[in-house]
Amino acid sequence: MKIAVYLFIFLFHSSTWAASCCGGGFSIPALILGDDKAQVTSTYSYSQVSDDVLDNEKWLRRHDDNLTQTLKLEGALLISDESQVGLSLPLVTKSAQNAESTGGVGDLSFYFGHESFPERSYSSWRPKGVTFLQLTLPTSPSIYDSSTMSSTDIRGRGFYSLGVGVALLKAWKVWDFNFSAEVHRAFSREVSSASYGGNIEVKPGWGTSHTLGAGWNYGDLRLGSSLAFLYEDPIQIRGSTNSDGSPQKNFTLGLSGSYMINMESAVTVSYSDQSLIGAPINSSLSKTINLSYQQRWPR
């Protein structure tokens, strides 16, 4: 089902934000899954942190109006019949109660995708899909670079990271089902800061995320839902300050509605909430509204 193929990407391209203390989070790139040679996706996100969950699973309600607005620009281009390259550029503005808002570029990501599971003939069970590599650069301030008490200048993780994953889709009549999984590794860095008492080495570990989604299609309209899981290894700190850190995990429940304007463009509105399901640990939980527009160029 063509609409399911085209609108599938909107379930996965948004970032999964994690607690700033852990530097977690990873984003599934906006991949070309249809019969197109290029595509551009723009997404506006409005997100508010509602709760903090400590490593002992204690919940703390937030009352500081911690808000994040993000405009993410993503593009993908075929370089062969089965391979594609892409870029993700987030522009982030953050604010909090009694604090001046700050904004700028977030962490920049590059990716390479391969249509490892093409749909060359009909199958009642075999999905179509792509595998991908993603490199994320620490092009924005992180918790280790923050200079404000409110932390509104934090726009990224603070680490170079490399990930590998797969995104799969299967459609039956008016229904479609999708699954994505990725594993990523962030690399150590040295930090010199008075707040840490001098020089330290920050050692992140491995992380993984998985998303399962389903949708119902009627003409050019699609209504969908998804459930995402995120896990991050503890971040160790060695040097003038020592800490073994704590692992992090959370679940994100999402609802979306998409409409195809024509065969080359589509809009999507979605809502996600990290406080409704699962037993999160060591996470700042957000409620997020997304508005996406995508333009495609057929082969």
Side-chain angles (χ1 to χ4, degrees), residues 12-284:
F12 299 113
H13 74 274
S14 298
S15 295
T16 301
W17 296 106
S20 59
C21 63
C22 303
F26 206 75
S27 64
I28 304 299
L31 304 166
I32 296 176
L33 291 180
D35 190 22
D36 302 305
K37 63 181 179 182
Q39 68 183 32
V40 173
T41 307
S42 61
T43 303
Y44 170 76
S45 300
Y46 183 89
S47 178
Q48 180 171 15
V49 177
S50 60
D51 302 272
D52 288 313
V53 182
L54 307 181
D55 53 11
N56 61 2
E57 301 186 37
K58 180 179 179 180
W59 286 60
L60 301 176
R61 177 69 66 176
R62 280 283 193 101
H63 298 285
D64 60 351
D65 294 330
N66 190 296
L67 301 175
T68 300
Q69 298 182 70
T70 303
L71 176 62
K72 178 179 283 191
L73 305 175
E74 296 176 298
L77 176 68
L78 286 186
I79 56 176
S80 72
D81 286 341
E82 297 180 338
S83 301
Q84 58 183 288
V85 294
L87 169 69
S88 175
L89 173 64
L91 305 174
V92 184
T93 300
K94 300 187 71 174
S95 62
Q97 194 175 58
N98 301 321
E100 184 178 355
S101 63
T102 63
V105 176
D107 286 350
L108 188 65
S109 294
F110 300 91
Y111 57 91
F112 171 82
H114 182 265
E115 191 179 8
S116 304
F117 304 95
E119 192 176 42
R120 294 193 174 96
S121 60
Y122 174 77
S123 172
S124 60
W125 62 271
R126 187 174 62 248
K128 70 172 298 179
V130 298
T131 55
F132 61 88
L133 293 171
Q134 182 170 347
L135 173 66
T136 300
L137 310 181
T139 51
S140 62
S142 70
I143 187 172
Y144 309 106
D145 313 298
S146 179
S147 58
T148 65
M149 292 294 294
S150 61
S151 299
T152 54
D153 57 343
I154 296 175
R155 299 192 298 273
R157 301 187 61 194
F159 304 108
Y160 289 94
S161 62
L162 185 64
V164 59
V166 61
L168 302 172
L169 168 71
K170 185 61 186 176
W172 288 285
K173 297 183 179 180
V174 298
W175 296 96
D176 65 82
F177 301 88
N178 47 75
F179 173 77
S180 72
E182 61 82 24
V183 60
H184 56 269
R185 170 73 178 184
F187 301 99
S188 302
R189 60 170 292 193
E190 293 185 354
V191 175
S192 179
S193 173
S195 61
Y196 290 99
N199 297 325
I200 59 171
E201 183 182 12
V202 185
K203 298 181 176 181
W206 292 89
T208 185
S209 63
H210 305 81
T211 302
L212 180 65
W216 175 78
N217 301 267
Y218 181 78
D220 294 330
L221 176 68
R222 180 187 186 278
L223 302 177
S225 62
S226 62
L227 179 63
F229 169 73
L230 171 72
Y231 172 85
E232 295 285 346
D233 278 342
I235 293 180
Q236 297 181 346
I237 295 177
R238 295 292 182 265
S240 56
T241 299
N242 291 288
S243 172
D244 289 330
S246 300
Q248 176 195 17
K249 68 175 182 178
N250 58 59
F251 291 84
T252 303
L253 182 65
L255 300 173
S256 65
S258 302
Y259 179 76
M260 290 190 68
I261 302 172
N262 51 52
M263 294 306 296
E264 287 78 41
S265 58
V267 293
T268 294
V269 177
S270 63
Y271 172 78
S272 61
D273 197 321
Q274 296 180 314
S275 65
L276 295 178
I277 194 169
I281 296 176
N282 197 25
S283 297
S284 294

